[in-house]
């Protein structure tokens, strides 16, 4: 039997994923050592390998088959737009992609004006404004602390992830429109899905059952 390789988005998502996997009997003791700088972990018995990657790189590893399976946020799947199968909503990491800004910016969204939109997700933002709203906008790519942009006058609005809403609240911003709901998803390489169909289908089924039991 060959190894089935998993690419996990580093951080909280990977921790949640390993907790879920433990429930279906997939453990990886090596991975629990928080101080370790090791990037790849093996479960010899089950012939599984896990590696940690930056979230936006997970779909890349999966498309090229360097990983058979990836666990990554829906935001990253939409932004990266890679050729892969999205097979399961894992439920955790639930949040929303939203257009946000000061209340005073709401009118710019209603009157189809040429505004500036700052975001870490230019493809999602472009698709939303051009294809859904038919509004021409100027997109400005940022890499973090997106909420700063409307405060310092870089853009009128932002497209960003809202989880609890506290970052917005503490900076005097609001959700103006919702783009889409987000959560962690399992993605599969298209060739792996055919070659390892039985193993992968069993895994999906076991995960589904575990998720349902959690409620
Ligand atoms: C994300 C997101 C928002 C914040 C939303 O940023 O971009 O800033 O979390 O969460 P909240 O609604 O619970 O406040 P992250 O912390 O990942 O860092 P970043 O600003 O570097 O993207």
């Amino acid at each position: 039997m060959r190894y089935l390789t998993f690419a996990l988005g580093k951080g909280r998502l990977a921790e949640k994923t390993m907790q879920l996997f433990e429930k279906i009997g997939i453990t990886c003791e090596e991975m629990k050592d928080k101080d370790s700088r090791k990037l790849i972990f093996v479960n010899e018995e089950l012939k599984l390998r896990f590696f940690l990657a930056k979230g936006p790189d997970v779909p890349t590893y999966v498309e090229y088959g360097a990983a058979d399976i990836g666990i990554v946020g829906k935001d990253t799947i939409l932004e990266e737009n890679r050729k892969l199968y999205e097979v399961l909503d894992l439920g955790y990491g639930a949040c929303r992609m939203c257009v946000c800004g000061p209340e005073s910016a709401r009118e710019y969204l209603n009157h189809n004006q040429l505004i500036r939109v700052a975001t870490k997700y230019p493809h999602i933002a472009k698709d939303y404004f051009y294809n859904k709203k038919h509004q021409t906008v100027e997109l400005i790519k940022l890499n973090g602390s997106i909420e700063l942009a409307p405060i310092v006058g870089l853009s009128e609005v932002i497209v960003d992830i809202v989880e609890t809403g506290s970052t917005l609240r503490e900076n005097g911003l609001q959700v103006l429109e919702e783009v889409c709901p987000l959560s962690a998803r399992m993605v599969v390489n298209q060739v792996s899905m055919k070659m390892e169909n039985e193993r992968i289908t069993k895994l999906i089924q076991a995960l589904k059952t575990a998720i349902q039991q959690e409620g």
Side-chain angles (χ1 to χ4, degrees):
M1 196 160 54
R2 78 165 179 91
Y3 281 100
L4 214 52
T5 302
F6 293 75
L8 309 181
K10 253 188 218 172
R12 219 150 39 109
L13 200 66
E15 279 171 36
K16 282 253 184 194
T17 301
M18 291 319 290
Q19 282 170 14
L20 176 64
F21 279 19
E22 283 204 0
K23 290 199 178 121
I24 61 164
I26 295 176
T27 50
C28 198
E29 290 304 317
E30 273 191 304
M31 214 160 150
K32 289 184 185 162
D33 180 4
K34 290 244 191 308
D35 299 327
S36 169
R37 302 285 293 168
K38 219 173 148 177
L39 293 171
I40 188 149
F41 308 93
V42 182
N43 179 322
E44 285 295 349
E45 203 186 318
L46 299 171
K47 286 273 178 266
L48 301 175
R49 278 202 310 179
F50 300 89
F51 67 78
L52 300 172
K54 278 263 187 192
D57 295 338
V58 168
T60 313
Y61 285 107
V62 175
E63 181 184 279
Y64 284 92
D68 301 289
I69 293 170
I71 307 291
V72 68
K74 178 69 177 175
D75 50 320
T76 305
I77 298 173
L78 291 170
E79 185 62 24
E80 295 300 315
N81 201 228
R82 294 281 177 178
K83 271 197 209 130
L84 35 80
Y85 296 132
E86 184 186 318
V87 297
L88 187 60
D89 184 344
L90 298 167
Y92 46 83
C95 50
R96 303 179 292 157
M97 186 66 74
C98 297
V99 181
C100 310
E103 187 55 43
S104 60
R106 195 180 291 276
E107 62 176 311
Y108 300 133
L109 301 171
N110 298 332
H111 295 102
N112 237 10
Q113 300 191 37
L114 178 59
I115 52 169
R116 289 194 292 201
V117 179
T119 184
K120 203 161 142 179
Y121 301 92
H123 290 114
I124 295 175
K126 188 176 178 191
D127 180 63
Y128 181 71
F129 277 99
Y130 284 70
N131 299 333
K132 272 219 185 103
K133 285 178 65 79
H134 306 289
Q135 178 171 5
T136 306
V137 296
E138 185 179 339
L139 291 162
I140 302 171
K141 161 89 198 236
L142 290 179
N143 295 294
S145 302
I146 318 298
E147 291 83 357
L148 268 177
I151 298 170
V152 299
L154 179 64
S155 70
E156 279 74 30
V157 298
I158 60 175
V159 168
D160 199 19
I161 292 173
V162 180
E163 193 181 348
T164 61
S166 48
T167 310
L168 291 180
R169 260 194 310 277
E170 285 177 33
N171 291 289
L173 305 174
Q174 316 222 2
V175 170
L176 302 174
E177 289 177 359
E178 184 174 323
V179 177
C180 61
L182 305 167
S183 56
R185 308 292 160 98
M186 177 168 153
V187 295
V188 179
N189 171 270
Q190 295 187 336
V191 176
S192 305
M193 197 65 204
K194 292 193 182 68
M195 304 303 284
E196 297 289 335
N197 191 270
E198 210 184 306
R199 277 172 97 190
I200 295 175
T201 308
K202 265 192 194 155
L203 172 70
I204 295 170
Q205 205 43 59
L207 288 171
K208 268 189 190 164
T209 308
I211 293 164
Q212 274 164 9
Q213 279 167 356
E214 270 182 9

